Amino acid sequence: MGKSKISWCDWTWSPVVGCSPISRGCQHCWARAMSNRLEGHFDVEVYRDRIDEPRRMRKPRRIFVVPRGDLFHVDVPFDAQVDILDAMVDSPQHVFYVLTKRPSLMTTALVDYLAGMSAMRYAQVGGDVARMFRHIWWGVSVEDQESWSMRIPNLLQMEDGLNLFVSMEPLLGRVEMLPEFWLDRIGWVIVGGESGPQHRPMELGWAREIRDVCEKRKIPFFFKQVSDRLPEQGKELDGRKWEQYPFEW
């Protein structure tokens, strides 16, 4: 676990590292490049010695969970997912962001997690699942209209009352956030262009359109960056920064 340079979180937590491409948003994956440099590969690995880290940190943090992988990749064993979810549930002093490109597997894993939960743990929250997960944000990555149309319906299958968000980074095409009723459950939207030497362009008009929808629907909007060779560059959209959060910090 370590401090993060990602602008919408403070810390990253990597009990799982590794993934595999699933869509064109993965083409220039920074996590793959970093893992190839650090570990020599990008195969999925579980680091069980890291699972307890959030419990040991008493000072509240905003924590990005598994930034260099996907917690709900098919190669992550379910028992490891359970242990990681338990660590999050046991650490309400933090805010956790869980981001996936596999929302159908996330939904299934969460259903199975709740079904296997001990009666004692369930009783501790009075059977209120939303209360138990109140400090956890469940998100999906979207890069274009196709991924929006495919992934958002699966995200919306999550248990009622959970905190849901969408990260459109890298944004590679215009996204019409339709049908509009899907937005009823979306509590936060992040938008960012691709970074790196081979970055693909993001039209600012795409970001403006998403921002305008978020403003209309009163959804907090976070503009992370324009497309650039370096990460975290060009953080202004129309002359100002948009760094809204769905909670006070």
Side-chain angles (χ1 to χ4, degrees):
M1 189 175 255
K3 292 183 179 180
S4 175
K5 295 181 180 179
I6 300 170
S7 52
W8 46 262
C9 67
D10 302 314
W11 288 67
T12 57
W13 175 38
S14 299
V16 172
V17 173
C19 198
S20 57
I22 195 172
S23 66
R24 71 187 188 115
C26 305
Q27 185 175 341
H28 300 146
C29 178
W30 67 271
R32 180 175 63 232
M34 180 178 289
S35 295
N36 285 337
R37 186 172 73 249
L38 296 177
E39 284 91 21
H41 62 84
F42 199 41
D43 298 335
V44 174
E45 285 196 52
V46 177
Y47 294 87
R48 295 184 182 271
D49 59 318
R50 302 175 183 175
I51 291 176
D52 201 44
E53 289 175 337
R55 294 187 179 103
R56 298 197 297 264
M57 296 181 64
R58 304 315 305 167
K59 183 178 179 180
R61 309 284 189 187
R62 294 174 298 185
I63 300 172
F64 183 10
V65 181
V66 188
R68 289 195 290 127
D70 193 326
L71 177 57
F72 301 102
H73 192 283
V74 67
D75 290 338
V76 179
F78 179 63
D79 67 308
Q81 293 172 342
V82 168
D83 291 343
I84 292 165
L85 291 170
D86 279 346
M88 289 192 281
V89 170
D90 290 343
S91 306
Q93 70 273 26
H94 306 306
V95 175
F96 294 94
Y97 308 120
V98 182
L99 190 58
T100 184
K101 284 187 172 69
R102 298 166 173 84
S104 61
L105 298 182
M106 177 169 69
T107 300
T108 299
L110 197 60
V111 168
D112 292 344
Y113 174 78
L114 293 172
M117 184 182 297
S118 70
M120 180 179 297
R121 180 181 287 273
Y122 198 68
Q124 287 174 347
V125 294
D128 188 342
V129 173
R131 177 186 164 201
M132 180 172 64
F133 291 140
R134 66 189 180 280
H135 59 296
I136 303 173
W137 284 79
W138 311 88
V140 65
S141 294
V142 165
E143 64 263 20
D144 53 22
Q145 191 67 51
E146 181 181 8
S147 55
W148 169 272
S149 300
M150 290 178 59
R151 294 174 191 158
I152 299 300
N154 288 317
L155 179 67
L156 298 179
Q157 294 300 311
M158 296 284 280
E159 190 90 14
D160 286 344
L162 299 190
N163 303 313
L164 306 182
F165 76 103
V166 180
S167 174
M168 301 192 198
E169 184 192 6
L171 184 60
L172 301 177
R174 179 172 179 256
V175 175
E176 290 188 88
M177 300 169 71
L178 297 172
E180 194 167 334
F181 71 86
W182 283 2
L183 303 179
D184 292 345
R185 292 193 59 200
I186 304 300
W188 193 28
V189 173
I190 300 167
V191 169
E194 188 170 53
S195 60
Q198 297 178 299
H199 66 275
R200 291 162 286 182
M202 175 189 70
E203 295 185 16
L204 290 181
W206 303 339
R208 289 190 186 101
E209 186 174 350
I210 294 165
R211 177 205 58 197
D212 292 347
V213 171
C214 289
E215 285 202 295
K216 177 184 175 183
R217 294 297 303 246
K218 295 182 168 49
I219 300 171
F221 174 78
F222 194 107
F223 184 70
K224 184 170 177 282
Q225 65 187 35
V226 300
S227 302
D228 197 274
R229 186 177 65 84
L230 299 174
E232 302 284 350
Q233 301 296 306
K235 296 185 177 185
E236 291 191 355
L237 180 63
D238 293 337
R240 59 161 286 190
K241 290 184 177 181
W242 299 82
E243 296 183 341
Q244 300 172 349
Y245 288 90
F247 51 83
E248 295 294 330
W249 187 258

